[in-house]
Amino acid sequence: MMARVRGPFDPEPTPLIETVQPALSVMAGSLVTLLPVIAAFPFLPPFGLLMLVGWRLARVDALPIWAPLLLGLFDDLLSGQPLGSAMLLWTVSFLTIDLLDQRLMTRDFWQDWLLGAGAVGASLIAGRLFATPLGAHVDTLLLLQILVSIMLYPLVAQLVAWLDRERISA
């Protein structure tokens, strides 16, 4: 069998780094939870989810539609959450943002921030329902974690924009 020769109008093949860098940055965000941070109470935001939402809102074509499933599995294996919770919640967040993105004519940064805050907040609340009993008194800490996540979204969006700029120029 002969290899197919690229025609004059066929698109240039994309370099591997352009394809893999968004997923690697989401995985690196999930790995942040392994850093030894000493805190009186847990308030670290889900950096993997923040990176996933940041990539989805910045570049629609950066990650395929099935990527949150595998990236959520990676996060579930690292975080100790019930297996499948991040897979489900990240995929639902990704699809919800995709649905809302189709409905909106234009978006600006404030709408991206609102979409990201809604996705991360809903995922954290649903994750709390999956992982802890209803009688557990973790609602105040969960609210703090949601607020920290919402406040960190602009930094994540700026990091994603920088990574995207480096990815395209490489």
Side-chain angles (χ1 to χ4, degrees), residues 67-88:
L69 200 64
L70 296 177
L71 295 170
L73 174 65
F74 180 78
D75 188 74
D76 279 339
L77 293 174
L78 284 177
S79 68
Q81 291 289 327
L83 193 61
S85 64
M87 292 171 64
L88 173 70

mmCIF file with all atom_site columns, all heavy atoms in Angstrom, residues 67-88:
data_model
loop_
_atom_site.group_PDB
_atom_site.id
_atom_site.type_symbol
_atom_site.label_atom_id
_atom_site.label_alt_id
_atom_site.label_comp_id
_atom_site.label_asym_id
_atom_site.label_entity_id
_atom_site.label_seq_id
_atom_site.pdbx_PDB_ins_code
_atom_site.Cartn_x
_atom_site.Cartn_y
_atom_site.Cartn_z
_atom_site.occupancy
_atom_site.B_iso_or_equiv
_atom_site.pdbx_formal_charge
_atom_site.auth_seq_id
_atom_site.auth_comp_id
_atom_site.auth_asym_id
_atom_site.auth_atom_id
_atom_site.pdbx_PDB_model_num
ATOM 1   N N   . ALA A 1 67 ? -12.362 14.940 25.286 1.00 0.00 ? 67 ALA A N   1
ATOM 2   C CA  . ALA A 1 67 ? -11.187 15.139 26.144 1.00 0.00 ? 67 ALA A CA  1
ATOM 3   C C   . ALA A 1 67 ? -11.518 15.227 27.635 1.00 0.00 ? 67 ALA A C   1
ATOM 4   O O   . ALA A 1 67 ? -10.766 14.691 28.455 1.00 0.00 ? 67 ALA A O   1
ATOM 5   C CB  . ALA A 1 67 ? -10.410 16.368 25.692 1.00 0.00 ? 67 ALA A CB  1
ATOM 6   N N   . PRO A 1 68 ? -12.614 15.882 28.049 1.00 0.00 ? 68 PRO A N   1
ATOM 7   C CA  . PRO A 1 68 ? -12.880 15.949 29.494 1.00 0.00 ? 68 PRO A CA  1
ATOM 8   C C   . PRO A 1 68 ? -13.084 14.588 30.136 1.00 0.00 ? 68 PRO A C   1
ATOM 9   O O   . PRO A 1 68 ? -12.830 14.422 31.328 1.00 0.00 ? 68 PRO A O   1
ATOM 10  C CB  . PRO A 1 68 ? -14.164 16.782 29.590 1.00 0.00 ? 68 PRO A CB  1
ATOM 11  C CG  . PRO A 1 68 ? -14.313 17.456 28.307 1.00 0.00 ? 68 PRO A CG  1
ATOM 12  C CD  . PRO A 1 68 ? -13.576 16.670 27.296 1.00 0.00 ? 68 PRO A CD  1
ATOM 13  N N   . LEU A 1 69 ? -13.519 13.618 29.360 1.00 0.00 ? 69 LEU A N   1
ATOM 14  C CA  . LEU A 1 69 ? -13.717 12.281 29.905 1.00 0.00 ? 69 LEU A CA  1
ATOM 15  C C   . LEU A 1 69 ? -12.386 11.683 30.370 1.00 0.00 ? 69 LEU A C   1
ATOM 16  O O   . LEU A 1 69 ? -12.262 11.217 31.509 1.00 0.00 ? 69 LEU A O   1
ATOM 17  C CB  . LEU A 1 69 ? -14.368 11.399 28.839 1.00 0.00 ? 69 LEU A CB  1
ATOM 18  C CG  . LEU A 1 69 ? -15.067 10.152 29.289 1.00 0.00 ? 69 LEU A CG  1
ATOM 19  C CD1 . LEU A 1 69 ? -16.245 10.498 30.172 1.00 0.00 ? 69 LEU A CD1 1
ATOM 20  C CD2 . LEU A 1 69 ? -15.520 9.352  28.100 1.00 0.00 ? 69 LEU A CD2 1
ATOM 21  N N   . LEU A 1 70 ? -11.386 11.736 29.507 1.00 0.00 ? 70 LEU A N   1
ATOM 22  C CA  . LEU A 1 70 ? -10.078 11.171 29.855 1.00 0.00 ? 70 LEU A CA  1
ATOM 23  C C   . LEU A 1 70 ? -9.331  12.041 30.865 1.00 0.00 ? 70 LEU A C   1
ATOM 24  O O   . LEU A 1 70 ? -8.681  11.521 31.773 1.00 0.00 ? 70 LEU A O   1
ATOM 25  C CB  . LEU A 1 70 ? -9.239  10.991 28.594 1.00 0.00 ? 70 LEU A CB  1
ATOM 26  C CG  . LEU A 1 70 ? -9.800  9.999  27.580 1.00 0.00 ? 70 LEU A CG  1
ATOM 27  C CD1 . LEU A 1 70 ? -8.922  9.956  26.340 1.00 0.00 ? 70 LEU A CD1 1
ATOM 28  C CD2 . LEU A 1 70 ? -9.929  8.624  28.192 1.00 0.00 ? 70 LEU A CD2 1
ATOM 29  N N   . LEU A 1 71 ? -9.438  13.356 30.707 1.00 0.00 ? 71 LEU A N   1
ATOM 30  C CA  . LEU A 1 71 ? -8.773  14.241 31.659 1.00 0.00 ? 71 LEU A CA  1
ATOM 31  C C   . LEU A 1 71 ? -9.430  14.146 33.034 1.00 0.00 ? 71 LEU A C   1
ATOM 32  O O   . LEU A 1 71 ? -8.750  14.238 34.064 1.00 0.00 ? 71 LEU A O   1
ATOM 33  C CB  . LEU A 1 71 ? -8.790  15.670 31.138 1.00 0.00 ? 71 LEU A CB  1
ATOM 34  C CG  . LEU A 1 71 ? -7.984  15.906 29.862 1.00 0.00 ? 71 LEU A CG  1
ATOM 35  C CD1 . LEU A 1 71 ? -8.262  17.275 29.288 1.00 0.00 ? 71 LEU A CD1 1
ATOM 36  C CD2 . LEU A 1 71 ? -6.509  15.699 30.103 1.00 0.00 ? 71 LEU A CD2 1
ATOM 37  N N   . GLY A 1 72 ? -10.737 13.944 33.078 1.00 0.00 ? 72 GLY A N   1
ATOM 38  C CA  . GLY A 1 72 ? -11.427 13.735 34.347 1.00 0.00 ? 72 GLY A CA  1
ATOM 39  C C   . GLY A 1 72 ? -11.012 12.432 35.008 1.00 0.00 ? 72 GLY A C   1
ATOM 40  O O   . GLY A 1 72 ? -10.882 12.356 36.228 1.00 0.00 ? 72 GLY A O   1
ATOM 41  N N   . LEU A 1 73 ? -10.791 11.399 34.209 1.00 0.00 ? 73 LEU A N   1
ATOM 42  C CA  . LEU A 1 73 ? -10.292 10.128 34.761 1.00 0.00 ? 73 LEU A CA  1
ATOM 43  C C   . LEU A 1 73 ? -8.917  10.331 35.381 1.00 0.00 ? 73 LEU A C   1
ATOM 44  O O   . LEU A 1 73 ? -8.648  9.843  36.479 1.00 0.00 ? 73 LEU A O   1
ATOM 45  C CB  . LEU A 1 73 ? -10.237 9.065  33.663 1.00 0.00 ? 73 LEU A CB  1
ATOM 46  C CG  . LEU A 1 73 ? -9.604  7.735  34.067 1.00 0.00 ? 73 LEU A CG  1
ATOM 47  C CD1 . LEU A 1 73 ? -10.434 7.048  35.131 1.00 0.00 ? 73 LEU A CD1 1
ATOM 48  C CD2 . LEU A 1 73 ? -9.430  6.834  32.860 1.00 0.00 ? 73 LEU A CD2 1
ATOM 49  N N   . PHE A 1 74 ? -8.054  11.078 34.695 1.00 0.00 ? 74 PHE A N   1
ATOM 50  C CA  . PHE A 1 74 ? -6.726  11.381 35.238 1.00 0.00 ? 74 PHE A CA  1
ATOM 51  C C   . PHE A 1 74 ? -6.857  12.121 36.564 1.00 0.00 ? 74 PHE A C   1
ATOM 52  O O   . PHE A 1 74 ? -6.166  11.794 37.538 1.00 0.00 ? 74 PHE A O   1
ATOM 53  C CB  . PHE A 1 74 ? -5.930  12.212 34.224 1.00 0.00 ? 74 PHE A CB  1
ATOM 54  C CG  . PHE A 1 74 ? -4.553  12.571 34.667 1.00 0.00 ? 74 PHE A CG  1
ATOM 55  C CD1 . PHE A 1 74 ? -3.526  11.652 34.603 1.00 0.00 ? 74 PHE A CD1 1
ATOM 56  C CD2 . PHE A 1 74 ? -4.276  13.841 35.150 1.00 0.00 ? 74 PHE A CD2 1
ATOM 57  C CE1 . PHE A 1 74 ? -2.247  11.976 35.015 1.00 0.00 ? 74 PHE A CE1 1
ATOM 58  C CE2 . PHE A 1 74 ? -3.001  14.186 35.565 1.00 0.00 ? 74 PHE A CE2 1
ATOM 59  C CZ  . PHE A 1 74 ? -1.986  13.243 35.499 1.00 0.00 ? 74 PHE A CZ  1
ATOM 60  N N   . ASP A 1 75 ? -7.754  13.085 36.640 1.00 0.00 ? 75 ASP A N   1
ATOM 61  C CA  . ASP A 1 75 ? -7.941  13.843 37.872 1.00 0.00 ? 75 ASP A CA  1
ATOM 62  C C   . ASP A 1 75 ? -8.540  12.967 38.971 1.00 0.00 ? 75 ASP A C   1
ATOM 63  O O   . ASP A 1 75 ? -8.148  13.088 40.133 1.00 0.00 ? 75 ASP A O   1
ATOM 64  C CB  . ASP A 1 75 ? -8.843  15.051 37.609 1.00 0.00 ? 75 ASP A CB  1
ATOM 65  C CG  . ASP A 1 75 ? -8.902  15.976 38.803 1.00 0.00 ? 75 ASP A CG  1
ATOM 66  O OD1 . ASP A 1 75 ? -7.908  16.694 39.037 1.00 0.00 ? 75 ASP A OD1 1
ATOM 67  O OD2 . ASP A 1 75 ? -9.925  15.973 39.508 1.00 0.00 ? 75 ASP A OD2 1
ATOM 68  N N   . ASP A 1 76 ? -9.471  12.103 38.620 1.00 0.00 ? 76 ASP A N   1
ATOM 69  C CA  . ASP A 1 76 ? -10.054 11.197 39.617 1.00 0.00 ? 76 ASP A CA  1
ATOM 70  C C   . ASP A 1 76 ? -8.994  10.287 40.227 1.00 0.00 ? 76 ASP A C   1
ATOM 71  O O   . ASP A 1 76 ? -9.004  10.024 41.424 1.00 0.00 ? 76 ASP A O   1
ATOM 72  C CB  . ASP A 1 76 ? -11.145 10.331 38.991 1.00 0.00 ? 76 ASP A CB  1
ATOM 73  C CG  . ASP A 1 76 ? -12.470 11.043 38.885 1.00 0.00 ? 76 ASP A CG  1
ATOM 74  O OD1 . ASP A 1 76 ? -12.679 12.014 39.626 1.00 0.00 ? 76 ASP A OD1 1
ATOM 75  O OD2 . ASP A 1 76 ? -13.290 10.631 38.051 1.00 0.00 ? 76 ASP A OD2 1
ATOM 76  N N   . LEU A 1 77 ? -8.090  9.804  39.396 1.00 0.00 ? 77 LEU A N   1
ATOM 77  C CA  . LEU A 1 77 ? -7.051  8.911  39.899 1.00 0.00 ? 77 LEU A CA  1
ATOM 78  C C   . LEU A 1 77 ? -6.078  9.641  40.818 1.00 0.00 ? 77 LEU A C   1
ATOM 79  O O   . LEU A 1 77 ? -5.525  9.051  41.743 1.00 0.00 ? 77 LEU A O   1
ATOM 80  C CB  . LEU A 1 77 ? -6.304  8.273  38.727 1.00 0.00 ? 77 LEU A CB  1
ATOM 81  C CG  . LEU A 1 77 ? -7.130  7.296  37.878 1.00 0.00 ? 77 LEU A CG  1
ATOM 82  C CD1 . LEU A 1 77 ? -6.336  6.839  36.671 1.00 0.00 ? 77 LEU A CD1 1
ATOM 83  C CD2 . LEU A 1 77 ? -7.582  6.115  38.704 1.00 0.00 ? 77 LEU A CD2 1
ATOM 84  N N   . LEU A 1 78 ? -5.864  10.926 40.575 1.00 0.00 ? 78 LEU A N   1
ATOM 85  C CA  . LEU A 1 78 ? -4.938  11.695 41.413 1.00 0.00 ? 78 LEU A CA  1
ATOM 86  C C   . LEU A 1 78 ? -5.593  12.240 42.677 1.00 0.00 ? 78 LEU A C   1
ATOM 87  O O   . LEU A 1 78 ? -4.977  12.270 43.733 1.00 0.00 ? 78 LEU A O   1
ATOM 88  C CB  . LEU A 1 78 ? -4.376  12.880 40.625 1.00 0.00 ? 78 LEU A CB  1
ATOM 89  C CG  . LEU A 1 78 ? -3.308  12.562 39.607 1.00 0.00 ? 78 LEU A CG  1
ATOM 90  C CD1 . LEU A 1 78 ? -2.910  13.815 38.876 1.00 0.00 ? 78 LEU A CD1 1
ATOM 91  C CD2 . LEU A 1 78 ? -2.108  11.946 40.275 1.00 0.00 ? 78 LEU A CD2 1
ATOM 92  N N   . SER A 1 79 ? -6.825  12.700 42.566 1.00 0.00 ? 79 SER A N   1
ATOM 93  C CA  . SER A 1 79 ? -7.426  13.448 43.668 1.00 0.00 ? 79 SER A CA  1
ATOM 94  C C   . SER A 1 79 ? -8.036  12.574 44.747 1.00 0.00 ? 79 SER A C   1
ATOM 95  O O   . SER A 1 79 ? -8.254  13.035 45.857 1.00 0.00 ? 79 SER A O   1
ATOM 96  C CB  . SER A 1 79 ? -8.502  14.388 43.121 1.00 0.00 ? 79 SER A CB  1
ATOM 97  O OG  . SER A 1 79 ? -9.586  13.648 42.620 1.00 0.00 ? 79 SER A OG  1
ATOM 98  N N   . GLY A 1 80 ? -8.372  11.347 44.426 1.00 0.00 ? 80 GLY A N   1
ATOM 99  C CA  . GLY A 1 80 ? -9.001  10.484 45.416 1.00 0.00 ? 80 GLY A CA  1
ATOM 100 C C   . GLY A 1 80 ? -10.503 10.659 45.494 1.00 0.00 ? 80 GLY A C   1
ATOM 101 O O   . GLY A 1 80 ? -11.142 10.103 46.384 1.00 0.00 ? 80 GLY A O   1
ATOM 102 N N   . GLN A 1 81 ? -11.064 11.433 44.597 1.00 0.00 ? 81 GLN A N   1
ATOM 103 C CA  . GLN A 1 81 ? -12.527 11.557 44.525 1.00 0.00 ? 81 GLN A CA  1
ATOM 104 C C   . GLN A 1 81 ? -13.096 10.223 44.053 1.00 0.00 ? 81 GLN A C   1
ATOM 105 O O   . GLN A 1 81 ? -12.380 9.394  43.506 1.00 0.00 ? 81 GLN A O   1
ATOM 106 C CB  . GLN A 1 81 ? -12.907 12.668 43.541 1.00 0.00 ? 81 GLN A CB  1
ATOM 107 C CG  . GLN A 1 81 ? -12.557 14.057 44.002 1.00 0.00 ? 81 GLN A CG  1
ATOM 108 C CD  . GLN A 1 81 ? -13.448 14.516 45.134 1.00 0.00 ? 81 GLN A CD  1
ATOM 109 O OE1 . GLN A 1 81 ? -14.616 14.160 45.215 1.00 0.00 ? 81 GLN A OE1 1
ATOM 110 N NE2 . GLN A 1 81 ? -12.888 15.299 46.038 1.00 0.00 ? 81 GLN A NE2 1
ATOM 111 N N   . PRO A 1 82 ? -14.380 10.001 44.252 1.00 0.00 ? 82 PRO A N   1
ATOM 112 C CA  . PRO A 1 82 ? -14.981 8.765  43.731 1.00 0.00 ? 82 PRO A CA  1
ATOM 113 C C   . PRO A 1 82 ? -14.744 8.652  42.229 1.00 0.00 ? 82 PRO A C   1
ATOM 114 O O   . PRO A 1 82 ? -14.894 9.633  41.491 1.00 0.00 ? 82 PRO A O   1
ATOM 115 C CB  . PRO A 1 82 ? -16.470 8.938  44.036 1.00 0.00 ? 82 PRO A CB  1
ATOM 116 C CG  . PRO A 1 82 ? -16.518 9.893  45.177 1.00 0.00 ? 82 PRO A CG  1
ATOM 117 C CD  . PRO A 1 82 ? -15.345 10.794 45.010 1.00 0.00 ? 82 PRO A CD  1
ATOM 118 N N   . LEU A 1 83 ? -14.342 7.476  41.802 1.00 0.00 ? 83 LEU A N   1
ATOM 119 C CA  . LEU A 1 83 ? -13.981 7.268  40.410 1.00 0.00 ? 83 LEU A CA  1
ATOM 120 C C   . LEU A 1 83 ? -15.167 7.556  39.497 1.00 0.00 ? 83 LEU A C   1
ATOM 121 O O   . LEU A 1 83 ? -16.253 7.017  39.694 1.00 0.00 ? 83 LEU A O   1
ATOM 122 C CB  . LEU A 1 83 ? -13.499 5.828  40.200 1.00 0.00 ? 83 LEU A CB  1
ATOM 123 C CG  . LEU A 1 83 ? -12.810 5.559  38.874 1.00 0.00 ? 83 LEU A CG  1
ATOM 124 C CD1 . LEU A 1 83 ? -11.562 6.400  38.734 1.00 0.00 ? 83 LEU A CD1 1
ATOM 125 C CD2 . LEU A 1 83 ? -12.465 4.098  38.749 1.00 0.00 ? 83 LEU A CD2 1
ATOM 126 N N   . GLY A 1 84 ? -14.969 8.411  38.563 1.00 0.00 ? 84 GLY A N   1
ATOM 127 C CA  . GLY A 1 84 ? -16.002 8.783  37.621 1.00 0.00 ? 84 GLY A CA  1
ATOM 128 C C   . GLY A 1 84 ? -16.644 10.119 37.917 1.00 0.00 ? 84 GLY A C   1
ATOM 129 O O   . GLY A 1 84 ? -17.369 10.655 37.072 1.00 0.00 ? 84 GLY A O   1
ATOM 130 N N   . SER A 1 85 ? -16.405 10.686 39.099 1.00 0.00 ? 85 SER A N   1
ATOM 131 C CA  . SER A 1 85 ? -17.063 11.956 39.427 1.00 0.00 ? 85 SER A CA  1
ATOM 132 C C   . SER A 1 85 ? -16.519 13.094 38.570 1.00 0.00 ? 85 SER A C   1
ATOM 133 O O   . SER A 1 85 ? -17.299 13.856 37.980 1.00 0.00 ? 85 SER A O   1
ATOM 134 C CB  . SER A 1 85 ? -16.930 12.274 40.912 1.00 0.00 ? 85 SER A CB  1
ATOM 135 O OG  . SER A 1 85 ? -15.584 12.462 41.268 1.00 0.00 ? 85 SER A OG  1
ATOM 136 N N   . ALA A 1 86 ? -15.214 13.230 38.478 1.00 0.00 ? 86 ALA A N   1
ATOM 137 C CA  . ALA A 1 86 ? -14.651 14.286 37.631 1.00 0.00 ? 86 ALA A CA  1
ATOM 138 C C   . ALA A 1 86 ? -14.912 13.985 36.158 1.00 0.00 ? 86 ALA A C   1
ATOM 139 O O   . ALA A 1 86 ? -15.118 14.912 35.368 1.00 0.00 ? 86 ALA A O   1
ATOM 140 C CB  . ALA A 1 86 ? -13.157 14.447 37.881 1.00 0.00 ? 86 ALA A CB  1
ATOM 141 N N   . MET A 1 87 ? -14.914 12.718 35.800 1.00 0.00 ? 87 MET A N   1
ATOM 142 C CA  . MET A 1 87 ? -15.225 12.366 34.408 1.00 0.00 ? 87 MET A CA  1
ATOM 143 C C   . MET A 1 87 ? -16.608 12.891 34.038 1.00 0.00 ? 87 MET A C   1
ATOM 144 O O   . MET A 1 87 ? -16.792 13.519 32.995 1.00 0.00 ? 87 MET A O   1
ATOM 145 C CB  . MET A 1 87 ? -15.173 10.847 34.221 1.00 0.00 ? 87 MET A CB  1
ATOM 146 C CG  . MET A 1 87 ? -13.802 10.246 34.349 1.00 0.00 ? 87 MET A CG  1
ATOM 147 S SD  . MET A 1 87 ? -13.825 8.446  34.382 1.00 0.00 ? 87 MET A SD  1
ATOM 148 C CE  . MET A 1 87 ? -14.447 8.065  32.766 1.00 0.00 ? 87 MET A CE  1
ATOM 149 N N   . LEU A 1 88 ? -17.581 12.650 34.888 1.00 0.00 ? 88 LEU A N   1
ATOM 150 C CA  . LEU A 1 88 ? -18.943 13.098 34.624 1.00 0.00 ? 88 LEU A CA  1
ATOM 151 C C   . LEU A 1 88 ? -19.066 14.614 34.710 1.00 0.00 ? 88 LEU A C   1
ATOM 152 O O   . LEU A 1 88 ? -19.596 15.255 33.799 1.00 0.00 ? 88 LEU A O   1
ATOM 153 C CB  . LEU A 1 88 ? -19.913 12.440 35.612 1.00 0.00 ? 88 LEU A CB  1
ATOM 154 C CG  . LEU A 1 88 ? -21.351 12.941 35.560 1.00 0.00 ? 88 LEU A CG  1
ATOM 155 C CD1 . LEU A 1 88 ? -22.021 12.491 34.268 1.00 0.00 ? 88 LEU A CD1 1
ATOM 156 C CD2 . LEU A 1 88 ? -22.117 12.469 36.771 1.00 0.00 ? 88 LEU A CD2 1
#
